[in-house]
Amino acid sequence: MVMGMGVECNMKRPKVLLVPYPAQGHVNPMLKLGLAFVSHGFEPIIVTPEFIHRRIAANTDADNGGVRFVSIPDGLDGEKGPLDFFAIEKSMENVMPIYLESLLRELDEDDDGKVACLVIDLLASWAIQVAERCGVPAAGFWPAMQATYRLITAIPEMIHSDLISETGCPRHQGTVLSLPSQPLLSTEDLPWLIGTQASRKARLKFWTRTLERSTALPWLLLNSFPREFIDGDGDSVDEHEADHISTTPPRTNPIIFPVGPLSKSSLTTTKNPSFWREDTSCLDWLNHQKSNSVIYISFGSWVSPIGDAKIKTLALTLESLNRPFIWVLADSWRQGLPDGYSERVSKQGKLVSWAPQLQILQHEAVGLYITHCGWNSTMEAIQCRKRLLCYPVAGDQFVNCKYIVKVWKIGVKMNGLGLKDVEEAVKKVTEDEEMEGRLMNIYQRTMGEEASSRVVGNFKDFICGLNRVQRCKDDKTL
Ligand SMILES: O=c1ccn([C@@H]2O[C@H](COP(=O)(O)OP(=O)(O)O[C@H]3O[C@H](CO)[C@@H](O)[C@H](O)[C@H]3O)[C@@H](O)[C@H]2O)c(=O)[nH]1
């Protein structure tokens, strides 16, 4: 199934197939990347599993600026409710590859232009083997910070130095890790430490397989800003207390091109492809609130629910804070709310299932953002210069939180969701008079003129590399 309009053009345009991991925080930046390819004369096609395709088709009215979306069968029943990480992994490993392969071969034989390249989200590393089988060049895509990428590439070294076990468990609680030019992280921040012992083990296996497959890639497009590591030592822990992971950066392959943050693409105003219908009524409500008064709360799209008990605690906290709020809470998470809660707070706040997040963050009535520290949300908050109250839940969010709190100092980590925890954090961020200036600094560093021109240059360098490979390929077939 195909949707979205291709750019009207008679010339043959080489195609680029973009394969995101099927989650909102991955498809959004992939679309922006696709738009960058459009501006270089390519025809980008984003390939998603059917369950995602159906959601985007039902909830997004926007034209995609010349990027096409194409679906492939996934063998999943997305109607039944949220799919978990392992169900999606099973589909990616066992069902989707043959369909991507036949789509790729079909498109490559198309008279309108051959497939020049696949851009593959490293969390969808299954597609690397498909590209290899079809003899089409492939670039990796890393949707988050380079710091997290380095942490993942350091897995073999961490096992070797006995910092973690073969199954990914930290050997000692509270061990501090030091990667060159990065803030000190603790072994508790490792991205695969989610859920039960068995799930942690399975997630580490997912990452080691990803690493093995990605060594074959010549390029990696990174959804982070150039020079991420320039002042990376915000923590004051004595270096000697840290366990060093000395061999990083360990690999020369792939060549890394920082082309982000793709959430703030200067190329276009094309909207994100929403998986859920946005409740825009909160924008009108915001217009009636005082400047800087509203707290926005969202835990992104791809977190295990924080659980009924925590939802109840946060609900009561928000009510007691007596400040206006907008809380993104999917219907499936609402059973944790106290009885009659929605009616009780209907004057104070708005509960929405899915929000126009960027527009909310851009609004002057919003003063604070309680966030799970997903990478796109973090960059959107910086774009809108909003102070952050951090409550990381899973994956890379702990690393992002370290940067927000310790390196850039534009937010505070909350120790819990109870009234005292949240009140303390609110006090700390609002009383910090220098935070405004630091937000401006990190905005300039990530999205200012110099950063933007480096991003444009990096993307051009990548395209030059791709064209060189294409010329070699063409020469060989002559
Ligand atoms: O009501 C909402 C809530 C979110 N968003 C958008 O959805 C995206 C969410 O992205 P992100 O903040 O990165 O969160 P997740 O969707 O949870 O992203 C997953 O993918 C990211 C990129 O790899 C990781 O950093 C996160 O930890 C992981 O959970 C952002 O663009 C938001 O603007 C909306 O439009 N409306």
Side-chain angles (χ1 to χ4, degrees):
M1 183 182 173
V2 177
M3 71 183 178
M5 308 244 308
V7 170
E8 288 299 325
C9 174
N10 294 327
M11 265 167 51
K12 281 185 185 176
R13 287 179 303 149
K15 298 183 183 74
V16 175
L17 259 59
L18 302 127
V19 185
Y21 180 80
Q24 187 80 63
H26 294 246
V27 177
N28 288 4
M30 233 9 158
L31 173 63
K32 304 284 173 165
L33 192 60
L35 294 165
F37 277 104
V38 172
S39 69
H40 281 267
F42 289 84
E43 183 189 352
I45 301 169
I46 299 184
V47 184
T48 66
E50 272 168 352
F51 81 98
I52 290 295
H53 197 86
R54 278 195 297 272
R55 284 188 202 167
I56 298 176
N59 296 303
T60 308
D61 310 318
D63 137 39
N64 299 309
V67 181
R68 271 201 290 162
F69 278 83
V70 175
S71 68
I72 52 174
D74 53 31
L76 291 164
D77 184 356
E79 305 305 315
K80 276 194 179 153
L83 292 158
D84 83 350
F85 181 81
F86 298 109
I88 293 174
E89 184 191 16
K90 210 164 147 197
S91 160
M92 295 196 299
E93 293 299 322
N94 304 329
V95 182
M96 290 162 62
I98 48 161
Y99 294 107
L100 178 65
E101 184 165 342
S102 59
L103 176 71
L104 179 50
R105 292 194 190 281
E106 191 188 316
L107 290 169
D108 206 29
E109 281 160 16
D110 200 340
D111 283 343
D112 288 344
K114 293 200 159 307
V115 178
C117 177
L118 260 80
V119 177
I120 300 166
D121 190 328
L122 290 197
L123 279 87
S125 66
W126 58 274
I128 297 173
Q129 292 168 314
V130 176
E132 280 168 3
R133 276 201 297 277
C134 298
V136 175
F141 173 67
W142 184 252
M145 290 195 84
Q146 191 169 354
T148 327
Y149 175 70
R150 279 205 186 167
L151 204 55
I152 298 294
T153 58
I155 289 173
E157 175 70 9
M158 281 189 248
I159 295 176
H160 181 74
S161 347
D162 210 31
L163 289 172
I164 58 169
S165 69
E166 292 278 342
T167 55
C169 293
R171 287 291 192 198
H172 312 283
Q173 284 296 305
T175 302
V176 179
L177 305 173
S178 159
L179 285 106
S181 317
Q182 276 186 240
L184 298 171
L185 298 168
S186 129
T187 38
E188 276 83 70
D189 296 326
L190 296 172
W192 54 87
L193 299 181
I194 304 172
T196 61
Q197 207 57 33
S199 120
R200 293 169 173 213
K201 190 174 162 188
R203 282 173 195 266
L204 185 84
K205 201 167 148 214
F206 173 90
W207 285 120
T208 44
R209 191 180 52 208
T210 299
L211 263 183
E212 278 160 27
R213 289 174 176 165
S214 66
T215 45
L217 293 170
W219 313 289
L220 183 69
L221 295 165
L222 178 79
N223 182 19
S224 185
F225 51 95
R227 312 174 87 196
E228 187 189 297
F229 291 121
I230 210 161
D231 62 354
D233 62 346
D235 237 338
S236 58
V237 179
D238 186 339
E239 280 256 311
H240 298 294
E241 288 175 28
D243 275 301
H244 290 258
I245 304 171
S246 53
T247 57
T248 45
R251 312 191 316 168
T252 47
N253 243 7
I255 304 170
I256 297 177
F257 296 91
V259 294
L262 286 157
S263 52
K264 163 122 186 354
S265 169
S266 53
L267 287 161
T268 173
T269 51
T270 297
K271 270 179 71 73
N272 284 329
S274 214
F275 290 10
W276 298 275
R277 184 60 57 182
E278 287 175 351
D279 183 342
T280 47
S281 67
C282 49
L283 294 173
D284 188 43
W285 178 85
L286 267 183
N287 290 335
H288 296 93
Q289 308 305 317
K290 285 198 198 113
S291 170
N292 252 338
S293 65
V294 176
I295 304 187
Y296 172 63
I297 306 108
S298 165
F299 295 97
S301 68
W302 185 242
V303 284
S304 0
I306 57 173
D308 287 354
K310 285 185 182 162
I311 286 178
K312 185 171 181 187
T313 307
L314 179 57
L316 296 173
T317 294
L318 291 173
E319 193 176 8
S320 305
L321 279 178
N322 213 11
R323 285 178 67 138
F325 66 84
I326 297 177
W327 184 5
V328 182
L329 191 64
D331 294 343
S332 53
W333 296 8
R334 290 194 188 184
Q335 64 271 19
L337 292 177
D339 283 344
Y341 183 79
S342 311
E343 296 75 42
R344 242 176 29 227
V345 297
S346 62
K347 288 222 167 64
Q348 181 192 349
K350 290 284 271 181
L351 283 169
V352 294
S353 307
W354 189 249
Q357 175 160 307
L358 193 56
Q359 283 166 279
I360 289 179
L361 289 174
Q362 279 163 340
H363 204 287
E364 58 156 17
V366 175
L368 298 171
Y369 175 17
I370 296 186
T371 176
H372 69 316
C373 306
W375 181 236
N376 297 289
S377 296
T378 302
M379 285 293 109
E380 287 162 9
I382 291 175
Q383 182 182 343
C384 304
R385 264 99 69 213
K386 299 295 177 196
R387 297 165 191 233
L388 297 166
L389 300 166
C390 305
Y391 193 76
V393 180
D396 62 333
Q397 296 154 18
F398 296 96
V399 175
N400 302 340
C401 176
K402 263 285 155 59
Y403 273 81
I404 292 168
V405 176
K406 301 277 187 184
V407 182
W408 308 324
K409 301 186 174 80
I410 55 167
V412 167
K413 184 171 181 197
M414 301 193 298
N415 296 321
L417 297 172
L419 183 59
K420 198 160 165 278
D421 296 311
V422 179
E423 264 180 347
E424 259 174 31
V426 169
K427 190 166 181 299
K428 222 166 151 186
V429 281
T430 33
E431 286 180 358
D432 187 336
E433 286 172 6
E434 285 164 29
M435 203 170 268
E436 200 69 42
R438 292 197 293 266
L439 271 163
M440 197 55 195
N441 283 345
I442 190 65
Y443 171 78
Q444 284 300 344
R445 218 182 113 198
T446 53
M447 301 168 206
E449 228 169 272
E450 193 191 328
S452 301
S453 82
R454 278 181 199 275
V455 163
V456 170
N458 289 345
F459 192 70
K460 272 191 193 147
D461 288 348
F462 163 70
I463 297 289
C464 285
L466 181 60
N467 286 339
R468 262 197 306 277
V469 168
Q470 196 56 48
R471 275 198 298 276
C472 289
K473 246 179 109 187
D474 292 346
D475 288 349
K476 276 187 198 152
T477 48
L478 283 180

